[in-house]
Amino acid sequence: MVSVAELGTAKKNTWCPGCGNFAVLQAFKSVVSRLGLEPWEVVVVTGIGCHGKIGDYLALNSFHTIHGRVLPLATGIKLANPRLTVVGFAGDGDAYAIGIGHLPHAARRNVDLTYVVHDNKVFGLTTGQATPTTPLGMRTRSTPFGTPEEPINPIAAVLAMGATFVARAFSGDLRHLEEVLERALRHRGFAFVDVLQPCYTFYDTYGYYRERVYKLEDDGHDPSDWNEAMRRAREEEVTGGERIPIGVFYQVDRPTLLDRLPHLSGVPLVDRPPRVDVAGLLERFR
Ligand SMILES: Cc1ncc(C[n+]2csc(CCOP(=O)(O)OP(=O)(O)O)c2C)c(N)n1
Ligand code: SF4
Ligand SMILES: [Mg+2]
């Protein structure tokens, strides 16, 4: 079993002190260790943004893809080698702006992977512009008079897309974040986790969330009830932001994409001839 310390790297961490990304990194390392996964059994796919640096800080296989394309990469990896545990990390800009076209398809296909969105409500790396989850009226670098656009509700949207696991966590509650991530990684199918991840530099929301979040599991929520999950997903809007549920909204068993592709069952694609040696190709990018 790999330890949390062994999952770290010597790379200099360039996240701002206080960034909510540290908690996501720490929680993920804990869960990989706790689940007894070996580093070579896990592949991480990251988008472009502050969140995307998470791959640099993990001593396991990672693919830093282009902006918004975490899901196609992660899907391809899982289909080619189903033995791998595949986890995608995206930003709210990455996942809900440029990359949103991929989300309904990953959800309805029920690709067996975990998709973690670092939802800090801003384009962090490019210094705090508005994203699709930025609250209405918020002044940002790109909206000096306040954003005139309604934010999307990722939990309600992904529930409507047919995802089999839909959850939200908060970077300010590390233990709970670990629990949610562990349940997501254990889920067989598309596991979606929206993490309320404060951007300490451009949108510090720690205090705001601390006063408002409550845990679904402490409130008698039944995660098998889709209608109730949708009602809870809208609770933040309905209460004017007073109550924000975190935890697992919905979970159900359904065949995965691979279950429905019989020609891909049996010998994984990576083990079928012709075997291609990519060592030379990789050498060119060193
Ligand atoms: C195709 C493309 N468009 C735009 C950019 C510029 N860009 C780099 S990071 C970023 C924003 C990232 O925001 P988000 O996904 O929310 O991640 P965060 O930095 O907040 O973690 C943008 C727009 C890019 N790299 N590639
Ligand atoms: S800009 Fe925001 S999201 Fe990016 S590292 Fe700094 S605090 Fe974190
Ligand atoms: Mg962001």
Side-chain angles (χ1 to χ4, degrees), residues 95-116:
Y96 306 141
I98 193 169
I100 196 160
H102 301 295
L103 191 47
H105 308 298
R108 73 193 176 91
R109 289 171 182 152
N110 201 27
V111 190
D112 185 15
L113 57 88
T114 299
Y115 191 41
V116 180

Tab-separated table of all heavy atoms in Angstrom, residues 95-116:
chain	number	residue	atom	x	y	z
A	95	ALA	N	-14.544	22.841	-16.878
A	95	ALA	CA	-15.638	21.868	-16.945
A	95	ALA	C	-16.946	22.460	-17.439
A	95	ALA	O	-17.701	21.804	-18.163
A	95	ALA	CB	-15.867	21.251	-15.564
A	96	TYR	N	-17.236	23.720	-17.031
A	96	TYR	CA	-18.581	24.254	-17.281
A	96	TYR	C	-18.625	25.320	-18.381
A	96	TYR	O	-19.706	25.764	-18.765
A	96	TYR	CB	-19.171	24.848	-15.999
A	96	TYR	CG	-19.177	23.904	-14.819
A	96	TYR	CD1	-18.882	24.364	-13.534
A	96	TYR	CD2	-19.473	22.554	-14.984
A	96	TYR	CE1	-18.888	23.508	-12.445
A	96	TYR	CE2	-19.479	21.692	-13.903
A	96	TYR	CZ	-19.182	22.173	-12.632
A	96	TYR	OH	-19.188	21.322	-11.557
A	97	ALA	N	-17.444	25.782	-18.838
A	97	ALA	CA	-17.421	26.727	-19.969
A	97	ALA	C	-16.944	25.957	-21.196
A	97	ALA	O	-17.720	25.241	-21.822
A	97	ALA	CB	-16.540	27.932	-19.641
A	98	ILE	N	-15.646	26.011	-21.478
A	98	ILE	CA	-15.140	25.426	-22.725
A	98	ILE	C	-15.399	23.921	-22.817
A	98	ILE	O	-15.603	23.390	-23.902
A	98	ILE	CB	-13.637	25.753	-22.880
A	98	ILE	CG1	-13.144	25.453	-24.293
A	98	ILE	CG2	-12.786	25.049	-21.837
A	98	ILE	CD1	-11.753	26.008	-24.592
A	99	GLY	N	-15.448	23.225	-21.669
A	99	GLY	CA	-15.555	21.767	-21.719
A	99	GLY	C	-16.932	21.210	-21.452
A	99	GLY	O	-17.106	19.987	-21.347
A	100	ILE	N	-17.959	22.070	-21.377
A	100	ILE	CA	-19.253	21.550	-20.918
A	100	ILE	C	-19.892	20.585	-21.922
A	100	ILE	O	-20.694	19.723	-21.542
A	100	ILE	CB	-20.232	22.694	-20.560
A	100	ILE	CG1	-21.381	22.118	-19.719
A	100	ILE	CG2	-20.733	23.405	-21.800
A	100	ILE	CD1	-22.148	23.103	-18.909
A	101	GLY	N	-19.508	20.674	-23.174
A	101	GLY	CA	-20.105	19.778	-24.173
A	101	GLY	C	-19.835	18.310	-23.896
A	101	GLY	O	-20.588	17.438	-24.346
A	102	HIS	N	-18.793	18.022	-23.145
A	102	HIS	CA	-18.450	16.622	-22.876
A	102	HIS	C	-19.220	16.036	-21.689
A	102	HIS	O	-19.307	14.821	-21.538
A	102	HIS	CB	-16.946	16.490	-22.599
A	102	HIS	CG	-16.113	16.965	-23.737
A	102	HIS	ND1	-16.110	16.347	-24.968
A	102	HIS	CD2	-15.275	18.023	-23.858
A	102	HIS	CE1	-15.295	16.998	-25.793
A	102	HIS	NE2	-14.785	18.022	-25.150
A	103	LEU	N	-19.738	16.931	-20.849
A	103	LEU	CA	-20.310	16.469	-19.577
A	103	LEU	C	-21.567	15.599	-19.743
A	103	LEU	O	-21.642	14.508	-19.159
A	103	LEU	CB	-20.549	17.687	-18.673
A	103	LEU	CG	-20.891	17.483	-17.220
A	103	LEU	CD1	-19.990	16.477	-16.527
A	103	LEU	CD2	-20.854	18.815	-16.472
A	104	PRO	N	-22.575	16.023	-20.529
A	104	PRO	CA	-23.767	15.168	-20.635
A	104	PRO	C	-23.450	13.791	-21.194
A	104	PRO	O	-24.088	12.800	-20.811
A	104	PRO	CB	-24.688	15.943	-21.577
A	104	PRO	CG	-23.894	17.046	-22.154
A	104	PRO	CD	-22.702	17.278	-21.287
A	105	HIS	N	-22.466	13.718	-22.070
A	105	HIS	CA	-22.177	12.433	-22.717
A	105	HIS	C	-21.456	11.474	-21.765
A	105	HIS	O	-21.753	10.279	-21.742
A	105	HIS	CB	-21.404	12.674	-24.006
A	105	HIS	CG	-22.104	13.675	-24.863
A	105	HIS	ND1	-23.370	13.447	-25.362
A	105	HIS	CD2	-21.779	14.944	-25.228
A	105	HIS	CE1	-23.784	14.522	-26.013
A	105	HIS	NE2	-22.835	15.438	-25.944
A	106	ALA	N	-20.531	12.006	-20.974
A	106	ALA	CA	-19.875	11.149	-19.969
A	106	ALA	C	-20.915	10.651	-18.970
A	106	ALA	O	-20.894	9.498	-18.546
A	106	ALA	CB	-18.764	11.913	-19.261
A	107	ALA	N	-21.858	11.543	-18.610
A	107	ALA	CA	-22.870	11.174	-17.616
A	107	ALA	C	-23.818	10.117	-18.175
A	107	ALA	O	-24.069	9.090	-17.547
A	107	ALA	CB	-23.644	12.420	-17.188
A	108	ARG	N	-24.353	10.342	-19.358
A	108	ARG	CA	-25.357	9.395	-19.897
A	108	ARG	C	-24.708	8.073	-20.286
A	108	ARG	O	-25.330	7.024	-20.233
A	108	ARG	CB	-26.140	10.021	-21.048
A	108	ARG	CG	-25.383	10.171	-22.328
A	108	ARG	CD	-26.098	11.074	-23.326
A	108	ARG	NE	-25.287	11.258	-24.514
A	108	ARG	CZ	-25.364	10.486	-25.591
A	108	ARG	NH1	-26.227	9.496	-25.641
A	108	ARG	NH2	-24.578	10.714	-26.618
A	109	ARG	N	-23.428	8.123	-20.677
A	109	ARG	CA	-22.739	6.874	-21.030
A	109	ARG	C	-22.360	6.067	-19.793
A	109	ARG	O	-22.058	4.896	-19.883
A	109	ARG	CB	-21.456	7.195	-21.798
A	109	ARG	CG	-21.701	7.706	-23.188
A	109	ARG	CD	-20.412	8.215	-23.825
A	109	ARG	NE	-20.687	8.753	-25.149
A	109	ARG	CZ	-19.983	9.714	-25.738
A	109	ARG	NH1	-18.946	10.251	-25.111
A	109	ARG	NH2	-20.303	10.135	-26.928
A	110	ASN	N	-22.326	6.770	-18.659
A	110	ASN	CA	-21.913	6.137	-17.400
A	110	ASN	C	-20.508	5.522	-17.525
A	110	ASN	O	-20.288	4.359	-17.179
A	110	ASN	CB	-22.932	5.084	-16.949
A	110	ASN	CG	-22.821	4.794	-15.456
A	110	ASN	OD1	-22.390	5.641	-14.671
A	110	ASN	ND2	-23.198	3.584	-15.064
A	111	VAL	N	-19.595	6.356	-18.007
A	111	VAL	CA	-18.197	5.924	-18.075
A	111	VAL	C	-17.705	5.721	-16.642
A	111	VAL	O	-17.966	6.544	-15.766
A	111	VAL	CB	-17.313	6.991	-18.764
A	111	VAL	CG1	-15.934	6.424	-19.048
A	111	VAL	CG2	-17.959	7.496	-20.043
A	112	ASP	N	-17.000	4.639	-16.401
A	112	ASP	CA	-16.573	4.316	-15.039
A	112	ASP	C	-15.325	5.125	-14.662
A	112	ASP	O	-14.199	4.627	-14.738
A	112	ASP	CB	-16.291	2.809	-14.940
A	112	ASP	CG	-15.968	2.387	-13.513
A	112	ASP	OD1	-16.250	3.181	-12.582
A	112	ASP	OD2	-15.440	1.284	-13.332
A	113	LEU	N	-15.561	6.373	-14.260
A	113	LEU	CA	-14.455	7.223	-13.821
A	113	LEU	C	-14.995	8.252	-12.831
A	113	LEU	O	-16.206	8.432	-12.700
A	113	LEU	CB	-13.772	7.902	-15.019
A	113	LEU	CG	-14.613	8.759	-15.959
A	113	LEU	CD1	-14.692	10.206	-15.496
A	113	LEU	CD2	-13.985	8.730	-17.354
A	114	THR	N	-14.070	8.916	-12.154
A	114	THR	CA	-14.447	9.965	-11.206
A	114	THR	C	-14.055	11.313	-11.793
A	114	THR	O	-12.952	11.463	-12.332
A	114	THR	CB	-13.725	9.749	-9.852
A	114	THR	OG1	-14.135	8.486	-9.313
A	114	THR	CG2	-14.071	10.849	-8.858
A	115	TYR	N	-14.963	12.275	-11.704
A	115	TYR	CA	-14.719	13.610	-12.265
A	115	TYR	C	-14.854	14.625	-11.135
A	115	TYR	O	-15.952	14.831	-10.601
A	115	TYR	CB	-15.750	13.870	-13.360
A	115	TYR	CG	-15.507	15.083	-14.228
A	115	TYR	CD1	-14.235	15.422	-14.689
A	115	TYR	CD2	-16.567	15.895	-14.643
A	115	TYR	CE1	-14.027	16.514	-15.512
A	115	TYR	CE2	-16.377	16.985	-15.478
A	115	TYR	CZ	-15.101	17.288	-15.914
A	115	TYR	OH	-14.904	18.371	-16.746
A	116	VAL	N	-13.742	15.232	-10.766
A	116	VAL	CA	-13.717	16.193	-9.654
A	116	VAL	C	-13.582	17.602	-10.236
A	116	VAL	O	-12.618	17.890	-10.951
A	116	VAL	CB	-12.520	15.912	-8.714
A	116	VAL	CG1	-12.494	16.919	-7.561
A	116	VAL	CG2	-12.564	14.482	-8.188
